[in-house]
Amino acid sequence: MKDPANDLVNETVNDPVNETVNDPVNETSGGPSDHPLLSIEDLRLSFGGVLAIDGLTFGVGEAEIVSLIGPNGAGKTSAFNCVTGFYRPTAGAVRLRGRDITGLRPSAVAALGVARTFQNLRLFGEMSVLDNVRAGTHLWIRQSVFDALLHTPRYRRGEREITEQAHHWLDFAGLRGDRYGPARALPYGEQRRVEIARALARRPDLLLLDEPAAGLNHGEKAEMLDLIRRIRDLGIAIVLIEHDMGLVMDVSQRVVVLNFGREIADGPPEEVRRDPEVVEAYLGRDADEAEIEQARASVAGGRDDGGA
Amino acid sequence: MTRRDAGPRSIASRLVDSLTENRWIGLAGLAIALLAPFVNATPYAISVMTSAAIFVMLAAGLNIVVGYCGLLDLGYAAFFAVGAYTSGVLSTRFDLPLVATLPAVLVATVIAGVVIGAPTLRLRSDYLAIVTLGFGEIIRITATNLDVTGGPSGIYGIPGLAGDRISFYYLTVLVVAVAVVGAARLGRSRLGRAWRFVREDEDAAEAMGVHTYKVKMAAYIAGAIWGGLAGVLFAAHLSAIAPSSFTFLQSALVLMAVVLGGMGSIRGVVIGAVIISLLPELLRDLADYRFVAFGVLLIIVMLVRPQGLWPARAREAARSTAPREAVR
């Protein structure tokens, strides 16, 4: 049987929804094809005096998987929030195919073809699983209030189509649980799948996954790895925040490493894993003798002070 | 919050589901409303039932704002007042039939919805409740102080919409039925889903491309229209309106009906509204104590069933969705 959903996916996404784009054409550029899908330029974000992101620059090409890694508190999720419009960066720019999207509201960024998941699952708990995935169709379903009030053929057709789409993406994400019941009733791993299905139903060009494998067991992680690859095969670029290094090294084409809001490495996984600065950020510096001596001295000194 | 059992459900609960999800339930409710005058057609009973029907429409409108969209509105009577006063003033000043004032009522209620909503919908939960409470009082006090609205004594001699009491009752029931079905259909549409996305998680809704501010404004405007049209029915029913009909107590009672019935559940809300409007009449024998009894009963119901008498359920019927084989 022919799959209607694939046609929809292959359709070029051109959303005329948003008219408030700051800088639709980059003066220095030839055409939109010259631009990477996503480019983040010298992004800075501070909360009061705390620098959460201190100069982050990287790009993501079409259908590329880029991982953003770093210790907890390195500013990875903050970077996601800047890209998707939840935070307004203090300085720097976020461009989507050359178009400046910095400071747009999240729904406007979503309208341009960006979907995301959240580190702590953010499902619509009291709504059915299918309704959750239908949220992803909100931007492309055409339905007026009058269609809804009069149940016009367009309403029925639209509702049928988005239901099929919801089923399709739940199948794609490999959901085994009950689709008709409330999302909160599903086990944790299944909720992760629903969140990804919801993001895919948006038919994004760029998908931001914030720790998709967190809290999953070994088998579920393998399935997640497979799912991420299959998403990429649809032509969707992925930016991945993940702590599971096995998964990151396995799936990524490029890895960007953040530490204390600073970018310390950007390259293919093999290269990044050998980078001494990255190793240091993850494992701590080799404690050299001088430092150990100093620590001993301070401990001893403290004891002396206490005695005096 | 209790986590409901996700496992196989008992036959009894399935039976209850199939009964409560039956689409004929709504028609049965309508039939009861249509047949009620054959049981008791005293002017008093008809008047009480008409008021109850109007109250159902108010509750259906507030349910859009509070139940679907999760915006706590404590000044809903403001829209009721705007509708009633717009139709009342225009029909008495310019000698118009009440029907002719409907376009003006729609415009006025939409404007009221935008004026009240635009500054307040940026606020979250508790702040929104306080501000809407304030707006409700502003509208009432404005009506008390303006000459055009007749000051504290209000407006008299508003023309009716239908000849006698009985036919006006039937007209009201039909209008309210359409309004209730309309609210329910909106709730099941793209917009209605967006309202519930906002209620469940505003950030996740934004991330999926829902412009939460516009969607909340749409809920507010829809609520305003429902409330305003109920106001027209109210003006036609009583033929006189005064600021004392649009107090905070009125807003609180409508909210009570929504909460009692089950927020976001149109069936529950209709039942809640009927109970809230009829119970004080049924308790009339208790004379001075009837509102005490009313309050105690409400407290008991909310203790026993905090989710409402007929709560909305997240489970959707499998029949409404395409078979999975079709898309695989």
Side-chain angles (χ1 to χ4, degrees), chain A residues 86 105 107 122 125-126 128 131 134-135 138 141 143 148-149 159 162-164 171 178 180 184 186 198, chain B residues 3 182 185 189-190 193 197 200-201 203-204 206-212 314-316 321 324 326-327:
Chain A
F86 284 95
R105 66 179 294 139
S107 58
R122 301 289 287 271
E126 290 297 320
S128 74
D131 265 347
R134 287 186 184 114
H138 179 82
I141 178 179
Q143 184 191 97
L149 286 175
E159 291 295 307
I162 64 169
T163 302
E164 282 170 12
D171 289 340
D178 176 16
Y180 301 97
R184 61 169 164 71
L186 287 178
R198 178 175 75 181
Chain B
R3 200 178 164 86
R185 287 188 167 191
S189 69
R190 171 181 184 262
R193 276 192 298 271
F197 298 149
E200 293 290 311
D201 190 325
D203 287 341
E206 271 283 338
M208 294 325 295
V210 176
H211 194 299
T212 51
R315 168 161 295 277
E316 67 179 88
T321 52
R324 282 173 60 187
V327 289

Side-chain angles (χ1 to χ4, degrees), chain A residues 1 3-4 86 105-107 110 114-116 118 122-128 130-132 134-136 138-139 141-143 145 148-151 155 159 162-164 167-168 171 178-182 184-187 191 198-199 202, chain B residues 1-6 122 181-183 185-186 188-194 196-215 226 313-328:
Chain A
M1 188 179 289
D3 191 340
F86 284 95
R105 66 179 294 139
S107 58
V114 179
R116 71 171 293 179
F118 292 87
R122 301 289 287 271
L123 289 176
F124 307 116
E126 290 297 320
M127 299 177 74
S128 74
L130 283 169
D131 265 347
N132 270 271
R134 287 186 184 114
H138 179 82
L139 278 169
I141 178 179
R142 293 282 161 255
Q143 184 191 97
V145 167
L149 286 175
L150 302 176
H151 279 194
Y155 168 84
E159 291 295 307
I162 64 169
T163 302
E164 282 170 12
H167 278 294
H168 169 79
D171 289 340
D178 176 16
R179 311 172 169 206
Y180 301 97
R184 61 169 164 71
L186 287 178
Q191 292 196 15
R198 178 175 75 181
R202 166 69 205 93
Chain B
M1 190 167 291
T2 55
R3 200 178 164 86
R4 213 188 297 168
D5 182 19
R122 295 182 196 280
V181 170
R185 287 188 167 191
L186 277 184
R188 286 196 303 269
S189 69
R190 171 181 184 262
L191 183 59
R193 276 192 298 271
R196 275 172 289 152
F197 298 149
V198 168
R199 180 192 70 196
E200 293 290 311
D201 190 325
E202 232 178 294
D203 287 341
E206 271 283 338
M208 294 325 295
V210 176
H211 194 299
T212 51
Y213 184 67
K214 282 187 192 163
V215 161
W226 261 246
R313 290 172 335 118
R315 168 161 295 277
E316 67 179 88
R319 69 163 165 79
S320 68
T321 52
R324 282 173 60 187
E325 288 72 28
V327 289
R328 283 218 93 145

